[in-house]
């Protein structure tokens, strides 16, 4: 039932935008093509199609970990490859930290997966484990993860532009209606149009806020799950505790409110990782290496 509801919601925007165009055309009649430029028609049609395409691509897959498997970032095999030591010496600090003591790779009993890759989590709604799980989006009825996060951001952007164009057309329609009929009171406009405008404004704000929020997540290499479910991401607390220890060893006092982003490698590197994954879904991102590199450096 929930899945079917999600599929219905997924295409609500496209029904609304098509209805918006229909209302515009029928309100201004013969003046439609003269008062609305071809650029407007082309832009609206382009972004409706683009949003639909991006929606389909987003729903294609978030990066699902196969059931009954062993995590691709198994701690022992990752740390001991090339005869490397399990202990790492942190730069400018006498502290020696054991990787296997720090990183807690979870297991998923439901999917029968041992040693889940870092940042991977199980989605209860979809019943799958997802690489760099961000959240389950009920609106489009799919998970957002490592493979489709950038596509999802593009979808939010194109959807915001689409709704903005629809709103522009509706407001201009009202203006033309009042002008052509020599009326000056908005009470002459059917109430249904104002209700429709309110709905579009709500979804425009919703998509725009989500777009800005996820742009922030990408810039700092965080996920929605890590922000709102810190207690279920033990590696975040471990990073903060050990990072404060390291800074204290260097003679740097750190406030309890110290901000920490274990996977933030700088804006350009964060975007590069996302683009590489966007181009090639088989591109492997070793979050553990990034985690420890950020732990031991300034």
């Amino acid at each position: 039932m929930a899945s079917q509801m999600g599929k219905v919601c997924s295409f609500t925007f496209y029904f609304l935008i098509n209805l918006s165009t229909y209302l515009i055309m029928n309100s201004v009649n013969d003046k439609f093509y003269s008062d609305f430029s071809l650029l407007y028609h082309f832009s609206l049609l382009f972004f409706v199609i683009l949003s639909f395409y991006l929606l389909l691509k987003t729903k294609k897959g978030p990066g699902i970990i196969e059931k009954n498997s062993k995590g691709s970032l198994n701690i022992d095999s990752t740390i001991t490859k090339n005869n490397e030591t399990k202990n790492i010496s942190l730069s400018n600090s006498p502290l020696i930290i054991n990787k296997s003591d720090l990183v807690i790779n979870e297991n998923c009993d439901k999917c029968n997966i041992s040693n889940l890759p870092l940042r991977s989590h199980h989605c209860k709604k979809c019943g799958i484990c997802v690489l760099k799980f961000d959240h389950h989006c009920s609106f489009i009825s799919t998970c957002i993860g490592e493979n489709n996060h950038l596509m999802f951001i593009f979808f939010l952007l194109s959807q915001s532009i689409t709704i903005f164009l629809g709103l522009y057309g509706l407001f201009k329609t009202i203006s033309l209606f009042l002008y052509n009929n020599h009326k000056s009171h908005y009470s002459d406009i059917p109430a249904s149009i104002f209700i429709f405008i309110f709905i579009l404004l709500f979804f425009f704000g919703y998509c725009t806020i989500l777009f800005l929020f996820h742009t922030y997540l990408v810039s700092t290499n965080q996920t929605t799950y890590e922000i709102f479910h810190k207690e279920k991401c033990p590696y975040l607390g471990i990073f903060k505790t050990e990072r404060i220890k390291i800074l204290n060893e260097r003679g740097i006092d750190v406030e309890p409110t110290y901000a920490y982003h274990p996977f933030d490698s700088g804006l350009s590197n964060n975007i590069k990782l996302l683009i590489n994954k966007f181009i090639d879904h088989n591109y492997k991102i070793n979050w553990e290496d990034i985690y420890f590199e950020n732990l031991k450096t300034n």
Side-chain angles (χ1 to χ4, degrees):
M1 181 66 180
S3 176
Q4 291 299 322
M5 192 65 182
K7 290 178 180 179
V8 171
C9 290
S10 301
F11 301 98
T12 301
F13 275 138
Y14 306 102
F15 168 75
L16 293 176
I17 295 302
N18 288 331
L19 178 59
S20 171
T21 307
Y22 173 80
L23 288 173
I24 293 169
M25 293 179 68
N26 282 272
S27 296
V28 298
N29 296 323
D30 296 336
K31 291 178 66 61
F32 181 70
Y33 287 100
S34 61
D35 289 304
F36 285 82
S37 67
L38 288 177
L39 178 61
Y40 172 79
H41 293 291
F42 174 78
S43 299
L44 181 60
L45 179 62
F46 172 78
F47 281 105
V48 167
I49 295 174
L50 178 62
S51 296
F52 186 76
Y53 169 77
L54 292 173
L55 172 62
L56 294 178
K57 294 291 287 184
T58 300
K59 291 172 70 68
K60 192 173 182 179
I64 301 173
I65 304 172
E66 292 184 8
K67 294 185 177 182
N68 306 311
S69 63
K70 194 171 186 178
S72 58
L73 295 182
N74 176 261
I75 290 180
D76 293 333
S77 63
T78 301
I79 298 172
T80 58
K81 64 181 180 180
N82 299 327
N83 297 319
E84 293 180 1
T85 177
K86 288 186 179 181
N87 294 329
I88 59 171
S89 178
L90 303 174
S91 59
N92 303 322
S93 171
L95 291 177
I96 301 294
I97 295 179
N98 190 304
K99 281 189 176 183
S100 59
D101 289 339
L102 282 184
V103 179
I104 301 175
N105 286 55
E106 300 175 352
N107 299 324
C108 180
D109 297 331
K110 295 181 179 179
C111 295
N112 192 26
I113 300 175
S114 60
N115 290 329
L116 278 173
L118 202 59
R119 311 186 82 184
S120 302
H121 299 283
H122 181 83
C123 175
K124 295 180 181 179
K125 294 182 179 180
C126 292
I128 56 174
C129 287
V130 178
L131 290 169
K132 204 197 83 170
F133 178 74
D134 187 88
H135 74 287
H136 177 89
C137 182
S138 298
F139 181 77
I140 63 175
S141 189
T142 193
C143 286
I144 305 302
E146 191 169 286
N147 284 4
N148 65 352
H149 199 176
L150 186 59
M151 190 69 71
F152 178 66
I153 294 174
F154 288 155
F155 166 71
L156 291 174
L157 176 61
S158 66
Q159 192 65 84
S160 297
I161 296 173
T162 303
I163 301 173
F164 174 81
L165 289 172
L167 285 168
Y168 168 80
L170 279 177
F171 283 123
K172 190 170 183 180
T173 295
I174 293 174
S175 177
L176 288 170
F177 175 82
L178 294 174
Y179 177 80
N180 293 337
N181 293 279
H182 305 287
K183 297 180 179 180
S184 58
H185 298 288
Y186 285 101
S187 59
D188 296 317
I189 305 296
S192 58
I193 293 183
F194 286 107
I195 294 174
F196 183 69
I197 288 176
F198 175 78
I199 293 172
L200 281 184
L201 282 172
F202 171 79
F203 283 117
F204 173 71
Y206 179 75
C207 286
T208 302
I209 291 173
L210 274 183
F211 168 73
L212 294 175
F213 176 66
H214 280 275
T215 300
Y216 163 73
L217 292 181
V218 168
S219 66
T220 56
N221 211 328
Q222 300 182 82
T223 66
T224 303
Y225 192 84
E226 290 169 347
I227 288 180
F228 294 104
H229 299 282
K230 289 185 173 66
E231 72 284 353
K232 296 181 181 180
C233 305
Y235 52 85
L236 297 178
I238 292 172
F239 184 92
K240 181 175 182 178
T241 300
E242 297 300 327
R243 187 72 183 132
I244 290 175
K245 285 181 182 178
I246 294 169
L247 293 175
N248 288 339
E249 286 289 336
R250 297 174 183 172
I252 302 173
D253 293 328
V254 182
E255 297 293 331
T257 56
Y258 170 73
Y260 58 100
H261 304 311
F263 307 99
D264 185 3
S265 300
L267 180 61
S268 59
N269 288 328
N270 294 339
I271 294 176
K272 183 179 179 181
L273 285 175
L274 210 60
I275 291 176
N276 287 339
K277 195 68 180 181
F278 172 77
I279 296 173
D280 180 12
H281 284 179
N282 294 320
Y283 179 78
K284 300 294 183 182
I285 301 178
N286 194 322
W287 295 114
E288 187 183 90
D289 285 351
I290 296 174
Y291 181 91
F292 279 98
E293 185 63 29
N294 288 338
L295 181 63
K296 68 180 181 178
T297 61
N298 293 319

